[in-house]
Amino acid sequence: MADGRTELTGALGGYLDALAAPSAEVRRVMEDNRDDPGAVMMTHPELGRLLAVLVAASGGRRVLEVGTYLGISATWIAQALAGDGRLDTLEADAGRADRAERWFARAGLADRVRVLRGPAADTLPGLPDGAYDLCYIDADKPGYLGYLDHAVRLVRPGGFVVADNILYGGEVVAARPGPEAAALLEFTRTAIDHPRLRTVALGIGDGITLSVVRDAPGGG
Ligand SMILES: C[S@@+](CC[C@H](N)C(=O)[O-])C[C@H]1O[C@@H](n2cnc3c(N)ncnc32)[C@H](O)[C@@H]1O
C-alpha cells in the first residue's frame, strides 16, 4: 500500500521471522549465548539475512564490521562471502573478542574472519581506502558519525554501508531523546543527506540505514 504500513506483529511477524531463518551456525551462536547479559545486542535475523544478500550483491571479497560482540552478524556475513572473501570485524572489549574468536574457530570460519581489537576509532584510520565492499556499523552510538566518515573512505564506490539501531527502541521520537538517541538522529540525518551516499532508512529490527557509496565528485 502506498499510504500505509502493514503491522508486522503476531502471525505476520512470525511468518517473516520464519522466512529469515538463520543457518545452523547462526542459530547455534545465538542459542549458546541466549543468557548473556548483552544478548539483546544480537543482530536481528531479518537484518542478518539482508547483510548476507548485500555481501553477495557486492561481490563479497572484503567486508568490514564495527562491533563484533560474540559474532552473530559476523557469522551471517562470513557465510555469504565469496570463496576468497574476508571479514575484518572490530571489537573494543577483549573478553568478547576472545569469545568471538573461539566461536569462529569452532564454526570453521577462522580463516575468513579477522578480529581487530581495540576502540574502532583507533583501528579505522589504519585501514586502506576503498578496500571494502560493505561496512556494517553496529557499535557505540556516539561513535556512529565518525564511523560513517571512515566508511565513506573505506568502502569502494558502489559498495554498501549499513547501520543498525537507528530507531533506538523508539527513543528517537521521544520529546527528549537521550544522548545515544540524539547521536543516532544526527547520524541518520547525515547519512540521508550525505553527498557521497544514497541512503534509505528502513524499519527492519531496530531500524537501519542502508547506503550505497557514490563516486567521489569528479570521479565519474
Ligand atoms: C550491538 S553489539 C554488536 C553486535 C554484533 N554486530 C552481532 O550482531 O553479533 C556492539 C559491540 O560493539 C562493541 N563496541 C562498543 N564500543 C566500541 C568501540 N568504540 N569500538 C569497537 N567496538 C565497540 C561492544 O563491546 C559490543 O560488543
Side-chain angles (χ1 to χ4, degrees), residues 5 17 39 52 54-55 66 78 85 93 102 122 134-135 152 159 180 187 200 209:
R5 287 178 196 277
D17 285 347
L54 294 171
V55 168
V66 185
D93 183 285
R102 280 199 296 275
D122 293 349
L134 182 147
C135 174
V152 169
E180 276 81 12
F187 166 84
V200 61
T209 54

Side-chain angles (χ1 to χ4, degrees), residues 41 43 65 67-69 72-73 91-92 96 119-120 138-140 147:
M41 298 193 295
T43 290
E65 174 179 66
T68 315
Y69 181 44
I72 291 83
S73 46
E91 176 55 55
R96 287 175 181 164
D138 188 21
D140 56 310
Y147 305 151

